[in-house]
Amino acid sequence: MRQTLRTGAAWAALGLAGSAALAPAATAQEANLVINDEIEIVTRAPAPEHMEYMSEVVSGWEYRSPETQALQMDDFENPGMIGVDNARADFETAMGPDDQSCASCHESPEALEGVRAVYPKWDEAKGEVQTLEMQVNECVTERAGAEPWDYTGDRMTEMVALISSVSRGMPVNVAIDGPAQETWEQGKEIYYTRYGQLELACANCHEDNYDNMIRADHLSQGQINGFPTYRLKNGALNAVHDRFKGCVRDTRAETFAPGSPEFVALELYVASRGNGLSVEGPSVRN
Amino acid sequence: MAENVTPRVRVPKEAAAGEVITIKTLISHPMESGQRKDKEGNLIPRSIINRFTCTFNGETVIDVAMEPAISTNPYFEFQAKVPESGTFTFTWIDDDGSTYEDTKEIAVA
């Protein structure tokens, strides 16, 4: 009898541990992400109205192991912040014929607080939706008269990480109506289109199967509020279009190019799926 | 010559006498091992930080010999007992002869 009781208790304990591991939803509310003990990050939010099949949006941070999660809670431990420091120096670096730097117009990176949260964004003068990278390159080429930076190069990704880092904690809030709507619809179309020999759409993994395992990987919702992301896999900051490319390649398809209109549209759509989550970049993922 | 080498250190600003504190250090450095080849097949020469030291008021706290298998941006976290107010001095020595230094004051209340 005693034996049975003990076994019973052990099973109960196991059951508790098991359910905690399988359903982080129940416990995650208390275990919020706070960076440097000061920036509070919203990692779970009600889904934006335009999303038909989901009720809650969840940051990719929630799907990572506690060790990886901890790396993002302190800027000293976050390897992505090294890139941010590089960009901070680059912010003052003179470019082009008139020796213009980012700081010539924007004073300090902190002056760009809030910018990351609303990009990609409709640009009236250009008549198109622009990503943050496109905006940076517009400054580099048209303002400073310098050669454009490589869209997913280190210099660009680090600069985007810097601009993102000063907006951390602010809610993602990209506009999907008005002139941006057409691009947004195109992005949505891409999101639900099956690509490649494996015939997979973004939605097959990140909407139908998030929180499930795909072989050894724990699938997230594919939110991009944490980009640029420092990935332990390649030990570098990763741009969002490079990540898209990786996903599409994994479906065994020919991918769109980083910076292409297709990926810009997809970025707008995917960003809008994270409206309400906090800007997290540079985040740490595996 | 490694570029963009920046030391970063975190030490508490104050401590109680005899308290054991945690120190975190990181230096951004490629730590090129000397085993890799470039696209043309030529060996990329070794370029690493080969020694890291920390002293407190001139007394050695830690002295590390570093080898090529250590990854990019080497990070060290260690503990030290602080008997009195003073200065931690951190030194990284590069293969190319450069030394990088950082200091942090700590006040013992």
Side-chain angles (χ1 to χ4, degrees), chain A residues 74 76-77 81-82 85-86, chain B residues 8 10 24 26 73 75:
Chain A
D74 183 347
F76 199 92
E77 313 267 340
M81 293 310 285
I82 293 170
D85 282 352
N86 291 344
Chain B
R8 303 157 139 212
R10 180 178 287 176
K24 295 175 178 182
L26 184 153
N73 306 333
Y75 171 96

Side-chain angles (χ1 to χ4, degrees), chain B residues 65-99:
Chain B
M66 294 167 65
E67 303 291 344
I70 295 175
S71 307
T72 307
N73 306 333
Y75 171 96
F76 286 101
E77 180 177 328
F78 52 94
Q79 294 181 317
K81 193 184 253 185
V82 193
E84 65 209 12
S85 298
T87 311
F88 282 101
T89 307
F90 305 88
T91 314
W92 292 261
I93 299 169
D94 199 308
D95 273 350
D96 64 16
S98 343
T99 58

Side-chain angles (χ1 to χ4, degrees), chain A residues 120-178:
Chain A
K121 182 180 161 189
W122 176 258
D123 185 308
E124 199 59 57
K126 298 263 171 191
E128 62 178 3
V129 168
Q130 284 207 322
T131 62
L132 201 47
E133 283 89 344
M134 290 158 84
Q135 182 58 58
V136 169
N137 257 342
E138 189 181 317
C139 287
V140 169
T141 56
E142 293 177 24
R143 269 281 177 178
E147 288 294 308
W149 298 355
D150 181 9
Y151 194 91
T152 53
D154 285 347
R155 194 176 189 190
M156 177 66 84
T157 307
E158 288 176 352
M159 186 56 71
V160 173
L162 170 64
I163 296 169
S164 174
S165 72
V166 297
S167 297
R168 283 182 298 177
M170 300 177 74
V172 176
N173 185 21
V174 296
I176 61 171
D177 50 0

Side-chain angles (χ1 to χ4, degrees), chain A residues 51 53-54 191-192 202-210 273:
Chain A
M51 288 171 70
Y53 310 112
M54 279 160 62
Y191 192 89
Y192 286 101
C202 305
N204 293 129
C205 288
H206 296 294
E207 186 166 282
D208 304 341
N209 281 298
Y210 67 87
R273 292 173 69 94

Side-chain angles (χ1 to χ4, degrees), chain A residues 3-54:
Chain A
Q3 189 63 40
T4 345
L5 265 176
R6 202 180 282 163
T7 324
W11 271 112
L14 260 178
L16 263 178
S19 65
L22 286 171
T27 50
Q29 290 301 342
E30 303 97 61
N32 272 340
L33 170 55
V34 180
I35 298 173
N36 301 334
D37 292 326
E38 95 185 279
I39 309 168
E40 290 186 15
I41 301 287
V42 175
T43 54
R44 289 173 181 274
E49 260 176 40
H50 66 80
M51 288 171 70
E52 297 151 63
Y53 310 112
M54 279 160 62

